[in-house]
Amino acid sequence: MHPQTCALMVSAAWTVGFLTSLIHTLCIKMLDFCGPNIIKGFFCDLPQLFLLSCTDTFINVLVMFLVGIIMGSGAFSMTLVPYIRIFHTIIRIQSRNGKLKAFSTCTSHLTVVFIFYGTLISTYLRPSPTSISSEDRLVSVMYTVVTPLTNPLIYSLRSKDLKAALWRSLGVK
């Protein structure tokens, strides 16, 4: 990749992330918080903050939903389009073993992608929550902890040398 292209992509990601955070921060600033200050989740996320507010959060929920649709569909399409091209290429592979190996690699990557986007959708693209359940806490752990932890495993366990070292360290021959 050309260094200018890389710099442009990094700048775009930082700018979009900053603007998205700024939008939500300004919307949260308009809320009043007068009740209990105990968040019923693992971290301070938008739905948990909305539950603590004693003012109407309709605008905030609407902004969260709209930003989620715009940002989510953009990110999802930027992830999905390359995989469509990859699948199109895999289908043209002549050997059955080659196809199976390629699909095997893509399947593990797509599993992480679907876990990530599925949990994000269930958190940010739903009606305003009236309470935070244990399922909501589990979903937040899935996209903040499980997905980042499984990514290195998926990419590194594709290496035969790493697999062999793992089996040796576990005492399996």
Side-chain angles (χ1 to χ4, degrees), residues 9 11 26 34 45-46 68 80 82 102-104 111 115 127 135 140 147 149 164 166 169:
M9 290 174 70
S11 299
L26 293 175
C34 54
D45 205 2
L46 292 174
L80 189 63
F103 273 125
S104 160
T111 301
I115 289 172
E135 290 85 16
S140 70
T147 301
L149 284 177
L166 178 64
S169 69

Side-chain angles (χ1 to χ4, degrees), residues 1-172:
M1 181 184 301
H2 195 274
Q4 288 175 330
T5 304
C6 183
L8 181 65
M9 290 174 70
V10 169
S11 299
W14 283 4
T15 302
V16 168
F18 175 77
L19 291 175
T20 302
S21 298
L22 181 64
I23 289 168
H24 290 304
T25 302
L26 293 175
C27 286
I28 291 290
K29 190 175 187 276
M30 294 187 301
L31 296 177
D32 290 325
F33 298 96
C34 54
N37 59 357
I38 298 170
I39 293 176
K40 298 184 178 166
F42 293 119
F43 56 93
C44 188
D45 205 2
L46 292 174
Q48 286 84 358
L49 285 175
F50 297 160
L51 291 174
L52 297 179
S53 175
C54 55
T55 53
D56 185 25
T57 59
F58 175 76
I59 297 296
N60 295 74
V61 172
L62 183 63
V63 167
M64 181 180 74
F65 187 78
L66 292 174
V67 168
I69 290 285
I70 293 167
M71 298 301 299
S73 62
F76 185 68
S77 64
M78 287 176 57
T79 305
L80 189 63
V81 167
Y83 275 106
I84 290 170
R85 294 181 68 181
I86 289 168
F87 281 133
H88 182 69
T89 303
I90 291 172
I91 289 170
R92 293 188 306 203
I93 295 175
Q94 297 298 323
S95 76
R96 178 175 159 79
N97 287 341
K99 281 184 185 180
L100 289 175
K101 186 174 181 181
F103 273 125
S104 160
T105 301
C106 287
T107 303
S108 58
H109 297 173
L110 282 175
T111 301
V112 173
V113 168
F114 284 121
I115 289 172
F116 181 70
Y117 283 111
T119 54
L120 283 179
I121 288 168
S122 69
T123 299
Y124 295 109
L125 299 181
R126 65 178 182 171
S128 180
T130 55
S131 67
I132 301 297
S133 67
S134 58
E135 290 85 16
D136 294 323
R137 289 186 201 110
L138 176 66
V139 166
S140 70
V141 168
M142 290 293 286
Y143 79 84
T144 57
V145 177
V146 173
T147 301
L149 284 177
T150 55
N151 255 339
L153 288 174
I154 284 175
Y155 287 103
S156 62
L157 289 179
R158 302 302 304 171
S159 164
K160 290 179 182 178
D161 295 335
L162 189 70
K163 282 184 198 176
L166 178 64
W167 290 122
R168 275 195 310 273
S169 69
L170 294 174
V172 178

